[in-house]
Amino acid sequence: MQYWGSWIDGGTAESALARFRTLPEVPMEVWITGNDHSNFRNADPFFPEVIEPKPTLAEQLDLQSRFVRERLAGKKASRQIHYYVLGAGEFRTTSTWPVADAKPWTLHLAADRTLAEQAGAAGRVIHDVDLTVGTGARTRWSTQIGTPPAYDDRREIDRRLLTFDSNPLDQAMEIVGTPVVTLVLSTQSDDPAVFAYLEDVAPDGRVTYVTEGMFRAIHSRPANRSSLPYDQGPAAHSFRRADAELVHPGVAMTLEFPLMPVAALIRPGHRLRLAIAGADKDWFTVYSSGGPERFDVRLGEGGSQVTLPARPWR
């Protein structure tokens, strides 16, 4: 099999990677780009001025026709993933997923709105959720229906979200895999949704979209992995009606959920940002039972964190 997806095209990258994880005996070649859904246009948020796709259209045709020719000739396909690195403009190849030398890098949400490598004192931050925020008309979701993604500088929209920033990186890092967010919080409503955005903050203040994840709190119960129809990866949930959990306003709960997988280069001097919202009105149903929403997020030891699969950039 040969599968194509993109880090910036809905959930197509995760779909291809789920097949790769679930079917370990199937010869499979996976291509994950930074293009739009059509593969006609580059969509890397770090290079908004670059239009030509990678691979080019001619290279895509060659890769696909070569694959067919080799299979018809009886040559067995090897299990490989060729993936584009956002912010680097280049492809890398791996025969395993998750990538073998990517290590979990856990950053704790702190009271001073930072992401810290060590959990600080217990605390909390209260955020009145803006249910009118959205990601705009040109996103990873719009490309599914024909409009290519075009993520602008997010610093203004982030003023309406709950954000936490890391220290500037002292060396280049590759985030490669599936980030996982763990939020310990209580809410004002009994049916909240959470949206989390991983972003790059440049020294000049520009905020670049990297990836996102979204989660409706009633699905908080961890899945019995043996009962799932395929390998969901980290922080799996069944999303079955029978497994739904009631949410009690004002009572703390733990939400652990994955962001969309990604490969991105974070350069020295740049910060990582986790931005938390309660809605994306442009693409998703607004929950919160139709009323206002407030997040009371617990911090420090045993509190909220984000875990990133990371390795030094070489």
Side-chain angles (χ1 to χ4, degrees):
M1 301 181 183
Q2 186 188 64
Y3 290 115
W4 287 72
S6 168
W7 303 128
I8 313 294
D9 174 18
T12 58
E14 169 55 21
S15 296
L17 293 170
R19 290 181 174 97
F20 191 88
R21 295 189 304 261
T22 304
L23 305 171
E25 303 305 318
V26 175
M28 191 180 306
E29 182 177 276
V30 175
W31 286 88
I32 301 178
T33 72
N35 298 333
D36 72 339
H37 186 65
S38 70
N39 255 339
F40 286 3
R41 183 186 179 102
N42 190 293
D44 187 338
F46 288 90
F47 303 121
E49 72 286 353
V50 176
I51 304 300
E52 185 175 47
K54 292 186 177 182
T56 66
L57 292 176
E59 290 167 340
Q60 292 174 42
L61 178 59
D62 180 66
L63 289 165
Q64 293 163 8
S65 59
R66 171 196 54 78
F67 185 84
V68 173
R69 290 195 306 271
E70 290 179 349
R71 302 297 79 74
L72 291 175
K75 183 178 179 180
K76 185 177 179 179
S78 59
R79 283 178 57 85
Q80 287 190 326
I81 299 171
H82 308 279
Y83 67 92
Y84 177 87
V85 182
L86 302 177
E90 64 182 66
F91 279 84
R92 293 192 158 189
T93 298
T94 178
S95 60
T96 61
W97 197 270
V99 175
D101 59 348
K103 305 299 182 185
W105 180 24
T106 298
L107 296 170
H108 302 267
L109 279 59
D112 58 357
R113 303 291 182 90
T114 62
L115 294 172
E117 294 194 346
Q118 302 297 323
R124 61 207 300 177
V125 60
I126 295 175
H127 175 65
D128 288 315
V129 174
D130 185 343
L131 296 174
T132 68
V133 297
T135 49
R138 302 187 65 182
T139 69
R140 69 188 303 139
W141 311 112
S142 71
T143 190
Q144 297 272 302
I145 53 175
T147 303
Y151 285 97
D152 296 323
D153 186 340
R154 285 179 53 84
R155 76 180 87 185
E156 288 303 318
I157 195 69
D158 277 0
R159 299 184 196 281
R160 299 161 64 186
L161 309 183
L162 178 61
T163 62
F164 298 83
D165 288 5
S166 73
N167 289 326
L169 272 63
D170 56 11
Q171 64 173 326
M173 298 291 291
E174 181 187 9
I175 307 300
V176 53
T178 301
V180 173
V181 170
T182 303
L183 293 179
V184 183
L185 79 167
S186 59
T187 61
Q188 183 173 342
S189 82
D190 64 358
D191 190 12
V194 177
F195 293 76
Y197 302 94
L198 183 66
E199 300 168 336
D200 172 286
V201 183
D204 64 3
R206 178 180 174 83
V207 178
T208 301
Y209 172 95
V210 176
T211 190
E212 68 183 85
M214 63 292 298
F215 194 71
R216 190 177 177 191
I218 60 171
H219 298 299
S220 62
R221 180 184 296 180
N224 174 1
R225 288 183 173 275
S226 65
S227 71
L228 298 177
Y230 64 93
D231 185 343
Q232 283 191 21
H237 301 269
S238 75
F239 301 103
R240 295 189 179 105
R241 183 182 298 272
D243 291 335
E245 299 272 359
L246 291 176
V247 174
H248 301 283
V251 178
M253 58 186 165
T254 298
L255 307 181
E256 183 184 48
F257 60 96
L259 306 188
M260 292 291 181
V262 73
L265 169 61
I266 310 299
R267 298 182 182 276
H270 289 230
R271 302 173 186 265
L272 285 164
R273 171 173 291 177
L274 183 68
I276 298 169
D280 177 358
K281 69 174 182 61
D282 297 321
W283 295 103
F284 294 91
T285 298
V286 177
Y287 289 95
S288 301
S289 301
E293 185 61 275
R294 171 177 285 182
F295 291 165
D296 185 345
V297 182
R298 274 53 166 191
L299 311 169
E301 191 68 40
S304 304
Q305 62 187 40
V306 58
T307 300
L308 307 171
R311 64 180 178 181
W313 177 257
R314 298 183 181 88

